């Protein structure tokens, strides 16, 4: 990026309820944690909206020249049907329904989720970590809290005592007095305060709990919230830049994550909290535990491809609710198709050029301003449409801008998702292939035939066909 074009990146921080200029702890590297899926079922499209928002955030960080270290957890330990440590174990429930072991259930839905991310062209986290593989880190964190006097042990379970943490509820701006006075249904009688939460269970309410580990408090399993604190601190350090999730995580899950993390370390944990709004369906928030939900595959079967869904999501700001309806999706589909057709038209006549440096510079600057204004995708899309419609530049210049802007949108505007679906089916790593194709191209330019042949052979072993044309190297998945 040109220095003169630089504009500050501003992000809305839920913690302060303000847009703030983003300043990472380390100047060149952004540390990012996003809460992952509980893998007892498919992700519904409301969940996926959150992952699309987080993907856009990551792309905007890249565009601003940052490296990003991104960690996401996989909740493969049964947590309870409500966030408040009550209800039934979701994993056990699904396992019973599907007559599989809990481990099989978790494995199956983890794969399905990763496939959804691929189909949506979401850049994978650097670390996608199963909670079940981080039990020692969680135990260590609970011990730290215990040593500092933040916990109590009752009826077989270890609880976090929120009265010991004066900043409790700050993120959600909870009115603690009101909450203390308010009666709650099904309060766990062992709790000193209804908002205390379990760090470690040894007394399972569920008889056929299969997932249990040894711990200083007895054989059992961790509470849900502790996994995100333990995993993020293990991979990103005790303080990091951005933590994301859906807005439903604010009052309980993220509130509890902050309490236990900051109590353990005695310092501020996360600098920027970002939350994606709900997808509304039939006037309600889409929710897995309520049973009725739409998946990406279901939409696909109805003729709406993953890219159409991605385009639909980008049409609203991530902090606005979106009402989902098939009519709205149909509109997104026709816009996306128009966009793609227009781009194909430009691509097929790419030689036509009309340089206009001033225009290109201004439009790039406009684009950067929009994306750096708390990820304003609807307005960034408007800038893209402006590029397509203008007669101030030629097709060559338009094409270059489209390719550049699509680094943010991730809509496969120029490559098409036919390729991506083939890739998803065969589980091919596109980034690696693109890298190899580029290296091979560079080797050919240097006339280093040994290297270029070696890379070609490697690609063939990966099931990738490459073809050299006058316009560059084309690759595709072998039929
Ligand atoms: Zn989390």
């Amino acid at each position: 990026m040109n220095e003169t074009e630089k504009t500050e990146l501003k992000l809305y921080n839920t913690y302060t309820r303000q847009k703030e200029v983003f300043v990472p702890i380390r100047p060149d590297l952004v540390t990012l944690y996003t809460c992952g899926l509980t893998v007892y079922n498919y992700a519904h499209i409301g969940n996926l909206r959150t992952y699309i928002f987080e993907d856009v955030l990551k792309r905007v960080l890249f565009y601003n020249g940052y490296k990003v270290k991104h960690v996401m957890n996989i909740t493969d330990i049964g947590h309870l049907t409500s966030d408040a440590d009550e209800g039934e174990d979701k994993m056990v429930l699904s396992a019973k329904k599907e007559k599989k072991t809990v481990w099989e259930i978790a494995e199956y839905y983890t794969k399905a989720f990763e496939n959804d991310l691929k189909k949506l062209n979401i850049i994978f986290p650097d670390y996608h970590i199963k909670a079940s593989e981080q039990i020692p880190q969680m135990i260590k964190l609970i011990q730290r809290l215990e040593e500092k006097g933040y916990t109590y042990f009752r009826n077989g379970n270890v609880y976090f005592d929120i009265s010991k943490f004066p900043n409790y509820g700050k993120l959600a701006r909870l009115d603690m007095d009101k909450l203390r006075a308010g009666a709650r249904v099904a309060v766990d009688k062992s709790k000193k305060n209804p908002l205390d939460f379990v760090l470690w269970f040894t007394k399972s309410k569920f008889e056929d709990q299969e997932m249990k580990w040894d711990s200083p408090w007895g054989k059992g399993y961790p509470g849900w919230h502790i996994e995100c604190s333990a995993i993020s601190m293990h991979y990103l350090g005790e303080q990091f830049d951005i933590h994301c999730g859906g807005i439903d995580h604010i009052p309980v899950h993220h509130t509890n994550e902050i309490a236990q993390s900051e109590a353990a370390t005695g310092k501020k944990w996360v600098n920027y909290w970002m939350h994606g709004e709900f997808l509304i369906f039939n006037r309600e928030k889409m929710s897995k535990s309520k049973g009725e939900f739409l998946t990406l595959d279901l939409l696909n079967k109805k003729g709406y491809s993953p890219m159409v869904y991605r385009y639909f999501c980008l049409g609203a700001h991530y902090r606005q609710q979106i009402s989902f309806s098939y009519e709205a999706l149909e509109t997104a589909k026709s816009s996306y198709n128009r966009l793609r057709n227009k781009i194909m038209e430009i691509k097929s006549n790419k030689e036509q050029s009309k340089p206009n440096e001033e225009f290109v510079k201004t439009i790039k600057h406009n684009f950067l301003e929009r994306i750096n204004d708390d990820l304003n995708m609807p307005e960034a899309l408007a800038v893209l449409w402006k590029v397509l419609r203008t007669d101030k530049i030629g097709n060559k210049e338009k094409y270059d801008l489209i390719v550049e802007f699509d680094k943010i949108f991730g809509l496969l505007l120029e490559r098409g998702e036919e390729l991506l679906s083939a890739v998803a089916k065969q589980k091919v790593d596109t980034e690696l292939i693109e890298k190899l194709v580029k290296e091979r191209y560079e080797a050919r330019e240097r006339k280093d035939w040994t290297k270029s042949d070696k890379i070609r052979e490697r690609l063939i072993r990966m099931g990738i066909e490459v073809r050299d044309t006058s316009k560059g190297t084309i690759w595709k998945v072998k039929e």
Side-chain angles (χ1 to χ4, degrees):
M1 199 188 311
N2 191 322
E3 270 311 305
T4 55
E5 288 174 4
K6 257 203 168 149
T7 133
E8 280 173 329
L9 171 59
K10 288 198 186 112
L11 300 172
Y12 183 86
N13 188 350
T14 310
Y15 204 88
T16 59
R17 304 292 194 274
Q18 269 171 16
K19 268 190 218 173
E20 294 175 8
V21 174
F22 176 67
V23 184
I25 298 167
R26 273 180 50 177
D28 57 331
L29 179 80
V30 177
T31 38
L32 168 70
Y33 185 84
T34 58
C35 289
L37 196 73
T38 305
V39 283
Y40 65 92
N41 204 335
Y42 296 104
H44 60 66
I45 57 170
N47 300 131
L48 294 172
R49 181 188 179 196
T50 306
Y51 299 110
I52 292 171
F53 136 62
E54 292 161 351
D55 184 54
V56 168
L57 167 67
K58 216 164 130 179
R59 288 166 182 268
V60 170
L61 291 166
F62 286 141
Y63 200 86
N64 279 273
Y66 295 114
K67 287 191 190 112
V68 179
K69 187 172 178 186
H70 176 197
V71 179
M72 177 154 80
N73 63 309
I74 302 169
T75 302
D76 60 348
I77 299 171
H79 84 78
L80 315 160
T81 43
S82 95
D83 288 350
D85 302 328
E86 292 147 17
E88 288 185 274
D89 185 305
K90 294 170 174 177
M91 208 76 78
V92 170
L93 215 65
S94 277
K96 268 191 201 155
K97 243 198 252 165
E98 298 186 30
K99 298 196 170 56
K100 287 179 182 157
T101 70
V102 279
W103 300 101
E104 283 166 347
I105 290 283
E107 195 55 38
Y108 176 82
Y109 289 111
T110 301
K111 286 234 169 73
F113 174 53
E114 290 183 339
N115 251 325
D116 282 349
L117 296 185
K118 225 171 247 179
K119 285 179 199 156
L120 285 166
N121 197 23
I122 287 173
I123 302 169
F124 251 54
D126 302 287
Y127 299 91
H128 197 195
I129 305 296
K130 287 181 182 164
S132 62
E133 288 171 2
Q134 297 287 309
I135 303 293
Q137 283 79 357
M138 294 184 221
I139 291 176
K140 235 181 261 162
L141 192 57
I142 300 169
Q143 282 175 312
R144 249 171 113 176
L145 291 167
E146 195 173 37
E147 278 158 26
K148 290 190 162 185
Y150 285 100
T151 65
Y152 58 93
F153 187 80
R154 273 200 193 165
N155 292 330
N157 296 336
V158 182
Y159 291 88
F160 184 90
D161 184 347
I162 66 153
S163 69
K164 300 274 168 63
F165 185 72
N167 272 342
Y168 188 84
K170 236 180 159 183
L171 171 76
R173 310 224 159 155
L174 298 179
D175 183 340
M176 298 308 289
D177 293 330
K178 235 183 183 168
L179 279 166
R180 261 180 219 119
R184 276 166 39 111
V185 207
V187 170
D188 174 350
K189 293 281 187 309
S190 307
K191 289 182 181 180
K192 287 189 194 167
N193 182 310
L195 297 183
D196 290 348
F197 53 95
V198 180
L199 297 165
W200 190 269
F201 290 94
T202 71
K203 268 266 163 44
S204 174
K205 286 179 266 190
F206 325 113
E207 286 172 5
D208 35 12
Q209 178 60 257
E210 284 177 54
M211 294 172 153
K212 280 185 179 176
W213 293 266
D214 288 324
S215 86
W217 312 280
K219 209 171 167 105
Y221 61 100
W224 171 34
H225 316 297
I226 198 75
E227 73 182 63
C228 287
S229 293
I231 293 173
S232 62
M233 285 199 226
H234 183 69
Y235 287 91
L236 300 174
E238 289 185 355
Q239 288 176 298
F240 58 92
D241 296 309
I242 310 176
H243 192 312
C244 297
I247 58 159
D248 48 335
H249 284 159
I250 299 171
V252 181
H253 182 49
H254 288 168
T255 290
N256 292 347
E257 282 186 30
I258 293 173
Q260 67 203 5
S261 303
E262 298 193 349
T265 67
K267 41 189 187 200
K268 191 175 182 192
W269 181 43
V270 169
N271 287 336
Y272 301 86
W273 285 88
M274 294 180 71
H275 293 93
E277 252 290 354
F278 288 142
L279 177 101
I280 305 293
F281 181 53
N282 289 340
R283 270 175 263 133
E284 259 190 89
K285 167 208 166 202
M286 191 164 293
S287 142
K288 268 206 284 202
S289 21
K290 283 184 194 154
E292 188 202 28
F293 62 92
L294 304 174
T295 62
L296 201 61
D297 276 351
L298 186 78
L299 294 191
N300 209 11
K301 277 182 199 136
K302 292 188 182 238
Y304 303 102
S305 71
M307 278 310 106
V308 167
Y309 183 63
R310 188 171 170 116
Y311 185 86
F312 169 77
C313 289
L314 297 185
H317 191 268
Y318 75 91
R319 286 194 289 118
Q320 286 171 338
Q321 291 189 347
I322 306 187
S323 278
F324 177 86
S325 67
Y326 284 105
E327 294 81 67
L329 198 59
E330 190 58 41
T331 310
K333 184 180 175 178
S334 72
S335 298
Y336 181 70
N337 287 343
R338 258 191 300 138
L339 190 61
R340 286 265 295 143
N341 290 341
K342 186 94 188 115
I343 290 165
M344 288 307 120
E345 210 181 288
I346 290 170
K347 198 178 174 182
S348 65
N349 192 6
K350 221 169 39 169
E351 288 72 29
Q352 184 223 58
S353 167
K354 183 174 167 191
N356 183 343
E357 245 174 70
E358 201 44 46
F359 179 84
V360 169
K361 208 175 129 193
T362 311
I363 206 103
K364 275 190 185 176
H365 185 74
N366 287 345
F367 183 75
L368 187 64
E369 270 182 339
R370 302 301 187 277
I371 64 171
N372 277 2
D373 179 17
D374 194 31
L375 324 178
N376 196 332
M377 288 306 114
E379 286 191 15
L381 278 172
V383 176
L384 175 68
W385 278 104
K386 198 175 160 191
V387 167
L388 299 182
R389 288 178 180 139
T390 186
D391 54 9
K392 295 203 170 88
I393 50 174
N395 279 349
K396 184 185 175 302
E397 293 73 24
K398 286 186 184 184
Y399 182 77
D400 292 345
L401 284 169
I402 293 162
V403 171
E404 168 134 358
F405 293 173
D406 202 32
K407 286 181 194 161
I408 298 295
F409 300 129
L411 286 168
L412 300 168
L413 291 177
E414 165 270 331
R415 288 193 306 172
E417 64 186 317
E418 303 75 23
L419 171 71
L420 190 80
S421 62
V423 167
K425 239 185 261 159
Q426 305 200 12
K427 295 213 168 72
V428 174
D429 182 346
T430 11
E431 256 173 65
L432 175 65
I433 295 166
E434 299 273 11
K435 190 175 145 256
L436 290 172
V437 168
K438 191 166 163 264
E439 277 174 19
R440 177 172 167 276
Y441 179 80
E442 284 160 0
R444 282 169 62 87
E445 291 280 285
R446 290 195 307 272
K447 302 205 186 320
D448 180 352
W449 308 117
T450 331
K451 184 160 185 199
S452 89
D453 284 348
K454 254 201 188 131
I455 297 175
R456 184 184 197 118
E457 276 162 30
R458 182 166 169 201
L459 286 165
I460 289 170
R461 280 199 303 277
M462 289 167 76
I464 302 300
E465 243 169 25
V466 282
R467 202 152 51 85
D468 299 303
T469 72
S470 59
K471 286 175 191 162
T473 306
I474 299 170
W475 65 271
K476 62 175 203 158
V477 179
K478 256 193 289 189
E479 302 293 324

